Amino acid sequence: MPVNNTDGHPEPGSTAARASGQSDANQRYWFHILAQNTPAARNLHAAKLVDKAWQQGDRVCVVCDTMQHAQELDDLLWNFSPDAFIPHSLVPDSATTCSEPVGILLRPPVAEDWDTVIILSANLPADADRFKRLALVAHNDPAVLNQARSHFKQLRALGIEPKVHDQRKR
């Protein structure tokens, strides 16, 4: 396993990360701010994160606000890669369970059910500090960025300092 990831920072949990003073707990939380300003770019980035986490053996959920958004993501995951199939299902409410390794949720996730939670919704779950891994994805749109700032403040209030991947600075 490499000591440094692609942005030159120590890999979470590595000896270099501990030596540099990075908290292992905080390295479970990431903000991805995209240079593009479209919802499609945000969905594509989320699908890439889903694929990566699922390939690593995680149970992954993506939290959306509307059925239309969930269906767009569902379509994207079905067609994401011609060489791969990402087994997933829509979870519209708390009465619906997800037996697939990937769920697209229209409700808050339960921390014990998921290894990786990807937030595309306007609301950050109140128990966000209980998730094993949490990624928030924002595209470069003023309303979405304001929402992301709000999520960032909520995480800080929970004692979490998420790692920010700001692609606008590249």
Side-chain angles (χ1 to χ4, degrees), residues 34-38 41-42 138-141 167-168:
L34 308 179
Q36 302 90 346
N37 63 354
T38 66
R42 187 180 191 200
H139 59 281
N140 194 17
D141 171 85
Q167 295 180 2
R168 299 171 301 173

Side-chain angles (χ1 to χ4, degrees), residues 50 60-64 66-67 69-78 88-93 98 102-107 114 120:
V50 165
V60 185
C61 74
V62 182
V63 184
C64 298
T66 66
M67 181 55 83
H69 187 194
Q71 288 173 332
E72 289 169 5
L73 196 57
D74 178 51
D75 290 342
L76 180 60
L77 289 177
W78 281 116
H88 67 280
S89 62
L90 289 171
V91 184
D93 53 45
C98 181
V102 176
I104 302 170
L105 280 60
L106 287 161
R107 61 164 174 83
W114 306 102
L120 298 180

Side-chain angles (χ1 to χ4, degrees), residues 2-3 6 15 20-21 24 26 29 41 51 55 62 75 87 90 92 107 113 117 119 121 125 137 140 144-145 150 161:
V3 174
T6 58
T15 304
S20 71
D24 285 342
N26 285 337
Y29 300 89
D51 185 50
Q55 293 290 342
V62 182
D75 290 342
L90 289 171
R107 61 164 174 83
D113 293 345
V117 176
I119 303 292
S121 71
V137 181
N140 194 17
V144 174
L145 291 175
S150 174
E161 190 70 33

